[in-house]
Amino acid sequence: MVFNRPPKTRAVPLLSSLAAVQRYARHPQPSLSAIRCSPAINPFSDKPRTNARFASTSQPVLADARSLWTRSKNLLLGTSIGLLVAFGYYYITDTRASVHQWLAVPSLRWIYEDAEEAHEAGTKALKTLYELGLHPRERGNIDSAGNLAVEVFGHRLANPIGISAGLDKGAEIPTPLFSLGPAVVEVGGVTPHPQAGNAKPRVFRLPSQKALINRYGLNSDGADVIAMRLRQRVREYAYAMGFGTDEFAEQRVLDGEAGVPPGSLIEGKLLAVQIAKNTTTPDDDIEAVQADYVYCVEALAKYADILVVNISCPNTGSRQKVEPLRNILTSVVEAAKKVNRKTKPVVMVKVSPDEDSDAQVSSICDAIWESNVDGVIVSNTTKRRADLVSGEHRLSIQETAVMAEPGGYSGPQLFDRTVALVKSYRRILDDGMTSRPEPVSMPTQEPSTSDGSSSNQVADQIEATIQRDQGHFKDAAEKADKEPNSQPLVRLPASNDPFSAETSDPETPLSPASPHPRQQPQTLPDALSQSSLLPSSSPAAPAASSYILQAEAPKRKVIFASGGISNERQVQEVLAAGSSIALVYTALVYGGVGTVSSIKGGLDEMKRPGRDGGVERTE
């Protein structure tokens, strides 16, 4: 028997049923009365049918209020973020921000245990930030008042602060360094050919002393690579000035058409390039040493305002003797005079603080005067270790071991030596200037012409010519007063007198003895040869002016101070000792990029009237 089974029904899950009930509750269905009363459905309604939906007016108002609040909130948030970014930009890029000293410097020392690696990281960071426009720069324009301006090498510099060589060995960041506020930036040292320097590690910190010991050994990329970087910098500047990017545009900038020094490319600032010989060049081969320096001059001089001859490096394993120093400096000065540029770079020599006896200083000063070097940088790092650590600062065990490392020491402890050495060089250089021979305006013997006539005979001929010309003067008569005032005082030949009624035949050629009235001698020898004072064939005519020139009086040599300078009072002291510029290096390593601005701010306060170190106003 077959039973028909009922079809299987699908059970509705309980949860689905509950969800349907909730949806129904949120969206209730219209009632029957509402449907019957609706005009769109009720056929007995007199009102026209329409499909429009009548919504509550409270909903748009609420939506508009919410939209206004959202827009206001977004505007406030965006403005706050923009102001925060702008403030952060101006703060981070300001050299006076304390974050550079108290955060950036300790972070580099903590991240990089090796001091040279920290140095390289700082250089790369500054270069990258400059390319992005985020590099630190001096704000506030302390130099604008002119209180710190100094005159150096005929340039009016904005302030007396500079950055010493060693911080930018490869000339990779001269412009970012200028942005920190100094008036002088020294790059290098640069050797003719690339050299690696001494083995690593070669830079050591002494934090308790705020000092460094380095034995780099003049590691350099070579003169050609450095010249390429400096040339690229000049051409980028030429392009920005609208001159172009080729060698002609470069030459226009180097010749001063941009109105800025050709080295620094910034008004009121100078770029110094330090040059040195390769360590493989023997010291006793003077010609080879000269060739090294001349090679650097020929490659780098046209991109520098100042050439610094380094004879003081304590880490090259060699020392320059004073005796051949004059020949080396003379070769550098002569090479600098041949630079293809309208203004030639000046030459300075960098000396060692370890050569501080009066005899050594006197010998170096004599070489400076005899070679016509323009100035001296006093001084460099020292190999001495005596009297460097005071009782106030005890060395740790690690720092005691660092003090035993060979190399050049730099730090605040060198300041007293620097001041004493500046005073010594100032005194001896000034004494050398007064002992120079007096300039001679006329020769001891009387000059003579090629035919043997003396200057007295020449004077007699001049007097005879005057007497001869007196016969051509017009008579001071009433007839002469009636003639035009534009007529010449002396009667001219008819061929040369524009007021004469006689005219020369245009068909008759002019003879060599009577040149065209407008034709004039083109050169000084031609003029002298046509004069009645000297024979036309006189070879001595061009040399007639040689005894008229006067010998130039000796100029005072310029001194830059370097060594242990870290604050404004020390800068003022070295300036009072006879220096024109104070160079900083180690202070910048420990104080950060705001060191120069801090020193300048202190100097400006000291130089104001009525302040300590300034000039008091008196009635």
Side-chain angles (χ1 to χ4, degrees), residues 104 108 112 117-136 172-173 176 593:
L108 280 175
Y112 300 97
E117 292 180 357
H119 181 188
E120 294 174 352
T123 301
K124 292 179 180 178
L126 197 56
K127 182 179 180 180
T128 303
L129 291 174
Y130 177 76
E131 294 173 350
L132 298 175
L134 301 175
H135 62 288
E172 297 180 282
I173 52 172
V593 296

Side-chain angles (χ1 to χ4, degrees), residues 424-439:
S424 180
Y425 271 95
R426 182 79 281 163
R427 173 177 53 83
I428 297 177
L429 284 174
D430 289 349
D431 292 344
M433 181 175 65
T434 57
S435 64
R436 297 294 107 184
E438 294 294 332

Side-chain angles (χ1 to χ4, degrees), residues 129-358:
L129 291 174
Y130 177 76
E131 294 173 350
L132 298 175
L134 301 175
H135 62 288
R137 67 208 71 182
E138 186 178 61
R139 301 190 188 277
N141 202 5
I142 302 176
D143 299 329
S144 60
N147 296 332
L148 306 180
V150 292
E151 192 82 14
V152 178
F153 296 129
H155 297 271
R156 181 177 173 82
L157 301 188
N159 58 78
I161 311 299
I163 295 179
S164 185
L167 200 65
D168 186 15
K169 287 180 171 289
E172 297 180 282
I173 52 172
T175 305
L177 290 181
F178 275 120
S179 300
L180 303 183
V184 177
V185 170
E186 182 186 4
V187 300
V190 185
T191 56
H193 307 290
Q195 62 181 27
N198 295 324
K200 299 180 181 181
R202 51 191 179 185
V203 185
F204 307 92
R205 303 187 188 102
L206 291 166
S208 67
Q209 310 296 310
K210 293 187 177 180
L212 294 173
I213 294 178
N214 83 84
R215 51 169 181 264
Y216 277 112
L218 279 174
N219 55 313
S220 172
D221 293 331
D224 295 332
V225 174
I226 304 302
M228 178 186 65
R229 291 172 183 162
L230 295 177
R231 178 171 61 249
Q232 178 68 19
R233 178 172 174 265
V234 172
R235 294 199 177 188
E236 289 177 356
Y237 183 85
Y239 177 78
M241 295 296 295
F243 294 159
T245 57
D246 55 8
E247 59 182 350
F248 300 103
E250 172 190 335
Q251 191 62 41
R252 291 180 63 184
V253 175
L254 295 179
D255 287 337
E257 293 188 28
V260 294
S264 68
L265 305 178
I266 303 173
E267 184 179 0
K269 300 188 178 186
L270 299 176
L271 176 68
V273 179
Q274 183 188 120
I275 58 177
K277 74 177 189 67
N278 281 112
T279 55
T280 55
T281 304
D283 291 343
D284 53 359
D285 190 349
I286 302 303
E287 293 183 358
V289 173
Q290 289 177 337
D292 275 10
Y293 283 107
V294 170
Y295 186 92
C296 291
V297 173
E298 293 175 348
L300 300 165
K302 63 180 178 178
Y303 305 115
D305 301 310
I306 305 172
L307 284 173
V308 181
V309 182
N310 185 1
I311 61 168
S312 61
C313 182
N315 302 312
T316 57
S318 60
R319 302 290 294 140
Q320 291 287 354
K321 297 181 180 179
V322 177
E323 182 178 355
L325 179 59
R326 179 181 62 251
N327 297 332
I328 297 173
L329 296 180
T330 301
S331 62
V332 172
V333 171
E334 293 299 324
K337 292 179 180 178
K338 299 177 183 178
V339 174
N340 183 22
R341 206 177 73 185
K342 286 186 178 180
T343 57
K344 312 302 180 184
V346 297
V347 179
M348 303 185 75
V349 57
K350 194 165 193 174
V351 298
S352 170
D354 298 335
E355 297 178 351
D356 54 356
S357 67
D358 287 344

Side-chain angles (χ1 to χ4, degrees), residues 64 68 91 101 133 164 243 280 329 361 385 403 439 512 516 525-526 531:
D64 292 341
L68 179 62
Y91 178 76
Q101 179 180 3
S164 185
F243 294 159
T280 55
L329 296 180
V361 174
R385 297 292 187 269
M403 284 291 290
H516 192 276
D526 295 337
S531 174

Side-chain angles (χ1 to χ4, degrees), residues 70-139:
T70 301
R71 288 197 299 267
S72 301
K73 183 173 61 174
N74 292 340
L75 178 62
L76 180 61
L77 181 61
T79 303
S80 302
I81 294 176
L83 292 175
L84 183 62
V85 171
F87 175 77
Y89 169 78
Y90 278 94
Y91 178 76
I92 294 296
T93 59
D94 193 338
T95 57
R96 298 169 297 180
S98 58
V99 67
H100 298 302
Q101 179 180 3
W102 304 112
L103 180 61
V105 173
S107 297
L108 280 175
R109 290 169 51 188
W110 179 72
I111 296 173
Y112 300 97
E113 185 177 355
D114 183 74
E116 184 175 358
E117 292 180 357
H119 181 188
E120 294 174 352
T123 301
K124 292 179 180 178
L126 197 56
K127 182 179 180 180
T128 303
L129 291 174
Y130 177 76
E131 294 173 350
L132 298 175
L134 301 175
H135 62 288
R137 67 208 71 182
E138 186 178 61
R139 301 190 188 277

